[in-house]
Amino acid sequence: MHCEGVLMKPAEIWLICITLAALSLFALLIFSSLVRITPPMPPAAVAGSKLWREYGCMECHSLLSSGGYSALDLTKIISQRTEAELRQFFAQPPPMPPHSRRTHVGLTAEESEKMLAFLRYVNKIDTRNWPPPPLVEEKRSKERQNR
């Protein structure tokens, strides 16, 4: 089979050009949608993320349903508790159930602000209402509404 001197027809050249243009446009649209979906993480949130990993919070807690399941999922904790409550918790952590002595790691005021920045960032992620609220919380909120 010898292909010497074979020229492409104009219709074939247009087909290739249109295909390449369509693929390029598709790649550009995918890239731009990913850039818009994922906002850059502020430096304070990055520092909070490092604390999250350093203190091993993921061993018990989860974010976006990834991590431990022996404690609360903290993905939307900023929407469920006030920042003052969280600062108080970080400063003077209570004993972890069912233990009477073992507590969470206490954070300094600076570390608390970094952790709050990280949790604020995670809270802004559109999870499409995932994770669902715990059944206990649903029952409590319904009881409060009925009062």
Side-chain angles (χ1 to χ4, degrees):
M1 189 169 178
H2 199 273
C3 294
E4 193 175 300
V6 175
L7 295 176
M8 292 177 69
K9 296 177 186 174
E12 293 172 330
I13 294 172
W14 274 106
L15 181 63
I16 290 172
C17 290
I18 290 171
T19 303
L20 289 175
L23 288 173
S24 298
L25 181 62
F26 179 71
L28 180 66
L29 289 172
I30 294 294
F31 176 75
S32 67
S33 68
L34 289 176
V35 169
R36 276 186 274 139
I37 289 172
T38 310
M41 189 181 280
V46 171
S49 173
K50 288 179 184 173
L51 287 173
W52 175 268
R53 289 188 308 272
E54 182 181 313
Y55 288 132
C57 301
M58 222 171 178
E59 290 177 20
C60 300
H61 294 282
S62 58
L63 288 175
L64 303 168
S65 297
S66 177
Y69 293 102
S70 60
L72 291 175
D73 184 304
L74 299 180
T75 304
K76 297 294 182 183
I77 194 69
I78 292 289
S79 300
Q80 299 164 352
R81 305 279 191 275
T82 66
E83 289 193 15
E85 289 175 315
L86 293 172
R87 281 187 189 91
Q88 176 67 26
F89 181 89
F90 294 149
Q92 298 172 340
M96 293 186 295
H99 309 287
S100 58
R101 293 185 194 159
R102 186 174 171 210
T103 62
H104 284 84
V105 175
L107 302 178
T108 65
E110 182 182 345
E111 289 175 328
S112 293
E113 292 309 312
K114 291 175 183 176
M115 187 65 76
L116 285 171
F118 175 60
L119 293 173
R120 269 187 233 109
Y121 176 82
V122 171
N123 188 64
K124 291 178 183 175
I125 296 172
D126 181 11
T127 62
R128 301 185 187 252
N129 298 322
W130 186 263
L135 294 176
V136 174
E137 289 295 321
E138 276 185 27
K139 288 178 185 176
R140 287 182 187 159
S141 65
K142 287 178 184 176
E143 288 172 1
R144 284 185 209 133
Q145 290 174 355
N146 293 334
R147 288 183 192 169

